[in-house]
Amino acid sequence: MLWSRPLHLRSGSQAMAVASGSLVVAERHSRLVRLDPRSGAELWEQRVEDCWGTAVIAGERCLYLSQAGVLHCFDLGNGQRLWSTPGMSLRHYVSVSGSVVLLGGWRGYHPGRSQGRGMPV
């Protein structure tokens, strides 16, 4: 093991996103952090509503859909919050296709089915 980090709360695996050179994880009830995957050093942190949401990395953006129903978009490089959209309740999955964000997840939702709500990144 190269490094470890206590998350101070057990969130689900969906609250972590990994891409080439990037690791973003929700921790400590209300923080989203980007870590250096080689050293574990914290590169940035942002406040979010909870740590039980879903994180996705898409190009130079990190999207986080909180369990409270707020979809956030952060600049992956510096952590700057680019926008937030509340009112996304009953949606628990985030997928990205090109510049469109797809949300889904209510009563029997499975990724790949054509239900959800799309919005540009």
Side-chain angles (χ1 to χ4, degrees), residues 60-75:
E60 296 301 313
R61 305 284 185 258
C62 175
L63 295 135
Y64 184 75
L65 176 61
S66 70
Q67 189 178 46
V70 181
L71 178 63
H72 300 279
C73 180
F74 301 100
D75 181 285

Side-chain angles (χ1 to χ4, degrees), residues 5 15 17 22 26-27 42 46 59 62 68 74 76 78 80-82 86 90 93-94 102 109 116:
R5 180 181 179 92
S22 298
E27 65 175 22
E42 187 175 302
Q46 280 287 348
C62 175
F74 301 100
L76 185 60
N78 62 20
Q80 177 183 354
R81 186 182 316 263
L82 302 174
L90 302 178
Y93 299 96
V94 179
L102 303 168
Y109 170 82

Side-chain angles (χ1 to χ4, degrees), residues 17 19 56-63 74 76 95-98 100-101 121:
V56 174
I57 294 173
E60 296 301 313
R61 305 284 185 258
C62 175
L63 295 135
F74 301 100
L76 185 60
S95 295
V96 178
S97 178
V100 176
V101 179
V121 175

Side-chain angles (χ1 to χ4, degrees), residues 25-93:
V25 64
E27 65 175 22
R28 298 179 190 217
H29 294 282
S30 60
R31 285 177 17 140
L32 190 69
V33 296
R34 180 177 176 207
L35 305 172
D36 181 313
R38 289 176 213 89
S39 67
E42 187 175 302
L43 301 174
W44 55 257
E45 80 168 78
Q46 280 287 348
R47 286 270 187 225
V48 291
E49 295 73 31
D50 53 58
C51 67
W52 300 283
T54 303
V56 174
I57 294 173
E60 296 301 313
R61 305 284 185 258
C62 175
L63 295 135
Y64 184 75
L65 176 61
S66 70
Q67 189 178 46
V70 181
L71 178 63
H72 300 279
C73 180
F74 301 100
D75 181 285
L76 185 60
N78 62 20
Q80 177 183 354
R81 186 182 316 263
L82 302 174
W83 51 263
S84 294
T85 303
M88 302 289 124
S89 60
L90 302 178
R91 292 172 173 84
H92 306 288
Y93 299 96

